[in-house]
């Protein structure tokens, strides 16, 4: 998977550089973008141990960047760039028998939690997309391709409260968790988050005016957000975010 | 046409936000048990003794207190509240003979993959013995941790789990620990035979995060209700068992060394303060004016208005040699009729840190206890 991705990247970059030299520089298009993302870091299919999603709060999932695109032939073209973005999530769920484990230093608490979980995810990253573009009309350009992201600020933490833990398994001792510090369990898996993510991106640019345009993109993570050896969160969580943005075409 | 990606996004959000059907319950607890029928009431001292409520998930032995085993009917129906969807065998409400010893019930979870066994027994009340040599203990396992549970044997050879400790609370944040790693354990180095070692421990980063940075070794007559340990730790220690005579004096042997650094609830050093062990006993009325059960907990064991008399060892000077201690009960007299009706409870408490219940003490404080005896009015020795 990783290898394929690197090959695609290399081919794409070779094409870009080759084309760039061949093309008249005036056919290049540079776009500066800002956007707002909404989505989630979630398993593909919510496990049955999550009984309801009680609250999904908007987070400062902002994006800013610039990219360069140039035509290849007919309607086709290539686009690449660099953006800084945050894929964040804040969600409150109700669980029933959700497996959790909290390790701190030499102490550990683990078992099945039934109650309220408040989850925070923040992932600030630099993202490099390499996209094929297809000019549908003078105004609308479709785009799609892989991206790779490098994280520089990450947080995955939360609180388990208002419920109880069965230590170990469903017949283990029950420990009631309350609704304030000292009575609830906090967890922090920030250090177990991967530093590098990759995925696929599809979207469209819509040239509204001469310079100003609107965009919509979907970023679908293909790598789980946690390192391979991290087993505490049973499900593999993928970052899946949609971005609504505006751009300025120079 | 540019709406296409938005449509995709909506599709994704729909797919990932589907809540699956609830799975069948995996738990299989008995939460309460009771004898139903006025015809059985005469076998009990109080109607309230016909019910066991709020049964802790750490208990698998349910004990009803009766006036006399001999007069207990040979067939009596027992009812249970169990985890929704779970099944119980023998059947809920089926008549059983409890006069021939414990009856074992098996509760199976709704999903069929988990089981718990409970033994239900009917016993004549009161403490089974008044001399405690701490020779009897069982090594139990909880989530890959081991710990010792002390018990006594009564005159009929039956095991009586009168002793409780906070071990299960300390274990909550441990993994792969041995019985001797716990705050309370049986040691071969007793005054005579085996004895009890109580030691105050650091409760780890997690214990600290829960505002409970230390775990003092403790051993007491009563029950430890683990469920409460995070939300109200003082309510986790439920003190006392019925006693049918009035205690006068408690004697025993101890060794004690305080840990070097005394810390407060925030795990900050309290300079100049030296940790102290504590040994005390409380005799109290176990019914309120309405006939409801009264228990003493960590927050009122020495201050409750239901206390009739109590005994405390004034000081326990540090010593590395087995040293005799003695304490006398002070307070008022008991009512004979109430005494005969099992209206009094008694507890005996040992702790390696006097204020361990409020998480103040010195890590490393160690108290050894052995050969404890309770003496009575009519017992002139």
């Amino acid at each position: 998977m990783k290898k394929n991705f690197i090959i695609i990247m290399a081919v794409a970059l070779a094409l870009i550089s080759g084309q760039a030299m061949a093309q008249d520089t005036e056919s290049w298009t540079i776009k500066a973008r800002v956007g707002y993302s909404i989505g989630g870091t979630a398993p593909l299919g919510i496990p049955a141990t999550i009984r309801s999603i009680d609250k999904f709060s908007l987070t400062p999932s902002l994006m800013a960047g610039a990219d360069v695109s140039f035509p290849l032939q007919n309607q086709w073209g290539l686009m690449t760039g660099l953006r800084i973005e945050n894929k964040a999530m804040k969600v409150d769920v109700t669980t029933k028998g959700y497996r959790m484990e909290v390790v701190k230093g030499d102490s550990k608490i683990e078992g099945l939690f039934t109650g309220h979980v408040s989850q925070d995810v923040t992932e600030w990253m630099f993202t490099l997309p390499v996209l094929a573009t297809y000019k549908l009309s003078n105004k609308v350009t479709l785009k799609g391709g892989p991206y790779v992201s490098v994280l520089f600020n990450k947080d995955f933490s939360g609180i388990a409260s208002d419920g109880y833990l069965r230590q170990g398994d469903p017949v283990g001792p029950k420990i009631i968790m309350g609704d304030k510090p000292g009575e609830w369990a906090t967890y922090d898996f920030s250090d177990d988050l991967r530093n590098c993510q990759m995925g696929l991106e599809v979207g469209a640019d819509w040239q509204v005016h001469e310079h100003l345009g609107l965009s919509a993109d979907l970023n679908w993570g293909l790598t789980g957000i946690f390192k391979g050896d991290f087993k505490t969160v049973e499900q593999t969580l993928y970052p899946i975010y949609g971005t609504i943005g505006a751009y300025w075409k120079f | 046409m540019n709406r296409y990606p938005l449509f995709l996004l909506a599709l994704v959000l729909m797919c990932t936000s589907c809540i699956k059907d609830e799975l069948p319950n995996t738990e299989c607890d008995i939460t309460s048990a009771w004898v139903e029928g006025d015809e059985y009431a005469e076998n009990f001292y109080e109607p309230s003794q016909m019910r066991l409520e709020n049964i802790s998930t750490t208990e698998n032995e349910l004990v009803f207190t009766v006036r006399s085993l001999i007069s207990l009917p040979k067939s009596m129906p027992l009812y249970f509240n169990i985890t929704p969807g779970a099944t119980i065998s023998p059947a809920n409400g089926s008549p059983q003979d409890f006069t021939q010893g414990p009856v074992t019930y098996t509760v199976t979870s709704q999903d069929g993959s988990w089981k718990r066994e409970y033994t239900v027994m009917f016993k004549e009340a009161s403490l089974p013995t008044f001399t405690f040599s701490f020779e009897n203990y069982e090594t139990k396992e909880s989530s890959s941790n081991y710990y010792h549970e002390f018990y006594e044997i009564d005159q009929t050879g039956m095991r009586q789990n009168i002793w409780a400790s906070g071990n299960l609370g300390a274990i909550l944040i441990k993994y792969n620990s041995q019985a001797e790693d716990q705050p309370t354990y049986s040691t071969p180095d007793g005054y005579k035979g085996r004895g009890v070692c109580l030691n105050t421990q650091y409760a780890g980063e997690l214990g600290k995060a829960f505002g409970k940075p230390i775990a003092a070794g403790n051993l007491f007559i009563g029950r430890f209700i683990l469920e409460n340990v995070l939300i109200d730790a003082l309510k986790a220690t439920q003190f006392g068992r019925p006693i049918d005579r009035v205690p006068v004096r408690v004697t025993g042997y101890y060794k004690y060394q305080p840990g070097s650094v005394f810390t407060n609830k925030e795990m900050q050093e309290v300079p100049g303060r030296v940790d102290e062990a504590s040994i005390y006993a409380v005799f109290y009325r176990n019914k309120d004016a309405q006939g409801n059960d009264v228990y003493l907990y960590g927050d009122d064991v020495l201050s409750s208005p239901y206390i009739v008399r109590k005994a405390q060892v004034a000081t326990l000077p540090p010593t590395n040699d087995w040293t005799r201690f003695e304490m006398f009960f002070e307070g008022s007299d008991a009512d004979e009729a109430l005494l005969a009706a099992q209206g009094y409870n008694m507890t005996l408490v040992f702790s390696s840190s006097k204020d361990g219940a409020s998480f103040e003490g010195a890590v490393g404080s160690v108290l050894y206890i052995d050969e404890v005896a309770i003496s009575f009015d009519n017992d002139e020795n």
Side-chain angles (χ1 to χ4, degrees):
Chain A
M1 188 73 177
K2 243 178 195 165
K3 212 177 236 173
N4 287 344
F5 178 71
I6 290 165
I7 292 167
I8 292 168
M9 285 276 293
V11 170
L13 285 171
L15 278 171
I16 293 165
S17 47
Q19 287 296 326
M21 279 185 278
Q23 292 285 330
D24 186 333
T25 50
E26 278 183 20
S27 63
W28 290 24
T29 314
I30 294 175
K31 291 170 178 170
R33 301 172 178 276
V34 290
Y36 183 82
S37 299
I38 184 163
T41 298
L44 295 176
I46 288 178
T49 49
I50 291 181
R51 298 312 314 143
S52 66
I53 295 173
D54 307 322
K55 196 173 146 198
F56 192 91
S57 313
L58 291 178
T59 49
S61 294
L62 301 173
M63 179 276 280
D67 46 58
V68 53
S69 54
F70 38 86
L72 293 177
Q73 57 189 88
N74 300 332
Q75 272 76 39
W76 292 93
L78 263 176
M79 177 189 273
T80 187
L82 191 66
R83 61 177 186 255
I84 179 171
E85 62 183 337
N86 182 12
K87 291 181 177 174
M89 177 178 78
K90 192 171 173 61
V91 64
D92 290 10
V93 299
T94 300
T95 66
K96 179 183 165 184
Y98 186 80
R99 179 158 291 283
M100 59 173 271
E101 179 186 89
V102 184
V103 183
K104 239 184 194 174
D106 56 353
S107 50
K108 171 172 114 170
I109 183 167
E110 64 114 0
L112 302 168
F113 182 71
T114 298
H116 190 85
V117 175
S118 187
Q119 172 70 56
D120 267 304
V121 184
T122 302
E123 298 168 292
W124 279 102
M125 61 188 87
F126 288 109
T127 298
L128 174 87
V130 178
L131 310 175
T133 60
Y134 182 82
K135 206 164 181 181
L136 207 60
S137 70
N138 273 341
K139 287 193 164 179
V140 178
T141 305
L142 301 181
K143 54 194 180 176
Y147 68 82
V148 60
S149 303
V150 177
L151 279 69
F152 63 91
N153 183 320
K154 50 190 191 172
D155 172 50
F156 188 101
S157 61
I159 294 168
S161 65
D162 293 305
Y164 63 87
L165 182 85
R166 291 305 290 247
Q167 194 186 1
D169 53 45
V171 295
K174 181 185 203 169
I175 298 100
I176 298 169
M177 305 231 175
D179 58 1
K180 49 179 180 283
E183 297 182 3
W184 63 34
T186 58
Y187 56 89
D188 190 339
F189 302 139
S190 304
D191 292 339
D192 299 300
L193 289 172
R194 231 178 240 281
N195 289 317
C196 200
Q197 295 181 354
M198 54 162 282
L200 290 175
E201 177 177 339
V202 292
D205 282 356
W206 180 29
Q207 199 68 44
V208 182
H209 294 291
E210 189 190 345
H211 291 292
L212 189 67
L214 297 175
S215 66
D217 297 272
L218 175 70
N219 299 289
W220 190 296
L222 295 176
T223 45
I225 61 166
F226 286 113
K227 291 170 185 168
D229 58 353
F230 180 71
K231 297 276 182 281
T232 304
V233 177
E234 279 182 329
Q235 298 80 25
T236 307
L237 304 181
Y238 299 96
I240 299 164
Y241 284 79
T243 309
I244 302 294
Y247 62 85
W248 186 267
K249 181 175 147 189
F250 292 98
Chain B
M1 221 26 203
N2 63 311
R3 292 208 179 92
Y4 186 60
L6 279 178
F7 168 73
L8 248 181
L9 173 61
L11 195 75
V12 167
L13 289 178
M14 265 162 58
C15 283
T16 54
S17 61
C18 295
I19 298 293
K20 298 215 172 69
D21 286 341
E22 187 164 346
L23 294 173
N25 288 332
T26 51
E27 291 165 68
C28 42
D29 303 308
I30 293 178
T31 52
S32 57
W34 68 96
V35 176
E36 206 166 284
D38 291 341
E39 64 268 41
Y40 304 111
E42 63 178 18
N43 294 290
F44 299 85
Y45 290 102
E46 294 279 342
S48 68
Q49 287 175 325
M50 295 171 75
R51 299 188 74 90
L52 301 175
E53 299 282 359
N54 303 319
I55 296 167
S56 170
T57 52
T58 59
E59 288 182 46
N60 47 25
E61 193 184 284
L62 310 181
V63 182
F64 286 91
T65 304
V66 290
R67 287 173 183 271
S68 151
L69 267 179
I70 294 167
S71 55
L72 198 66
K74 296 269 182 242
S75 172
M76 201 164 57
L78 194 58
Y79 294 85
F80 302 94
N81 278 329
I82 56 178
T83 307
T87 53
I88 187 165
S89 167
N92 204 341
S94 65
Q96 301 292 328
D97 182 1
F98 295 99
T99 60
Q100 302 302 309
V103 174
T104 301
Y105 286 82
T106 304
V107 185
T108 306
S109 63
Q110 187 177 28
D111 75 346
S113 47
W114 297 93
K115 282 184 199 308
R116 286 194 69 182
E117 280 196 354
Y118 289 83
T119 51
V120 178
M121 59 191 92
F122 285 70
K123 282 181 179 172
E124 290 173 20
S126 89
L127 287 175
T129 177
F130 305 105
T131 57
F132 310 107
S133 294
F134 305 107
E135 302 303 320
N136 303 312
Y137 70 98
E138 183 191 356
T139 305
K140 301 186 89 170
E141 193 247 340
S142 175
S143 300
S144 80
N145 296 291
Y146 294 87
Y147 66 100
H148 287 159
E149 188 177 271
F150 290 89
Y151 62 90
E152 300 296 335
I153 304 279
D154 68 14
Q155 293 92 327
T156 64
M158 287 251 282
R159 173 173 167 167
Q160 303 265 10
N161 295 326
I162 63 165
W163 294 108
S165 80
N167 274 344
L168 276 173
I171 279 172
L172 189 55
I173 50 113
K174 293 188 178 186
Y175 51 101
N176 298 332
S177 59
Q178 297 304 308
E180 288 77 14
D181 298 332
Q182 312 310 349
T184 304
Y185 63 89
S186 170
T187 168
D189 307 317
Y191 175 67
K192 279 186 196 162
R194 299 189 75 93
V196 188
C197 176
L198 307 120
N199 63 98
T200 302
Q201 304 183 344
Y202 176 51
E205 289 292 312
L206 269 175
K208 212 168 141 186
F210 283 122
K212 296 158 182 68
I214 62 164
N218 61 16
L219 186 72
F220 57 94
I221 294 175
R223 298 198 307 154
F224 185 75
I225 306 169
L226 181 68
E227 277 85 344
N228 294 337
V229 77
L230 288 186
I231 51 166
D232 190 354
L234 292 172
K235 282 277 186 279
T237 45
Q238 186 193 65
F239 296 103
R241 288 271 173 151
I243 187 168
D244 59 1
R245 53 200 88 177
V246 182
V248 170
R249 186 179 61 162
V250 178
T251 57
Y253 292 84
Y254 84 99
K255 293 195 283 188
Y256 186 64
Q257 284 300 335
S260 50
V261 180
F262 192 97
T263 51
N264 63 13
K265 210 178 165 180
E266 281 77 44
M267 202 64 200
Q268 289 153 342
E269 185 177 352
V270 181
R273 196 164 161 193
V274 178
D275 202 2
E276 293 169 75
S278 75
I279 300 176
Y280 59 89
V282 179
F283 177 80
Y284 68 95
R285 275 187 294 128
N286 60 22
K287 291 278 181 295
D288 66 11
Q290 286 74 44
N292 300 313
D293 286 335
V294 170
Y295 280 104
L296 303 190
Y297 292 90
D299 52 355
D300 65 352
V301 64
L302 289 171
S303 61
S304 164
Y306 290 94
I307 294 172
V308 177
R309 45 208 286 152
K310 61 185 173 190
Q312 272 180 286
V313 181
T315 59
L316 291 158
T319 169
N320 289 323
D321 300 314
W322 283 104
T323 305
R324 189 170 185 272
F325 68 83
E326 182 175 49
M327 57 184 183
F328 290 90
F329 281 86
E330 288 168 11
S332 37
D333 289 331
D335 179 276
E336 283 302 323
L338 201 53
L339 198 60
Q342 302 285 324
Y344 295 96
N345 279 4
M346 188 190 140
T347 188
L348 187 54
V349 183
F350 308 99
S351 177
S352 54
S353 292
K354 194 176 71 156
D355 293 318
S358 41
F359 307 99
E360 296 179 325
V363 170
S365 293
V366 185
L367 172 68
Y368 289 90
I369 293 292
D370 203 5
E371 304 307 322
V372 175
I374 308 173
S375 323
F376 301 89
D377 277 321
N378 52 3
D379 181 6
E380 290 302 319
N381 300 324

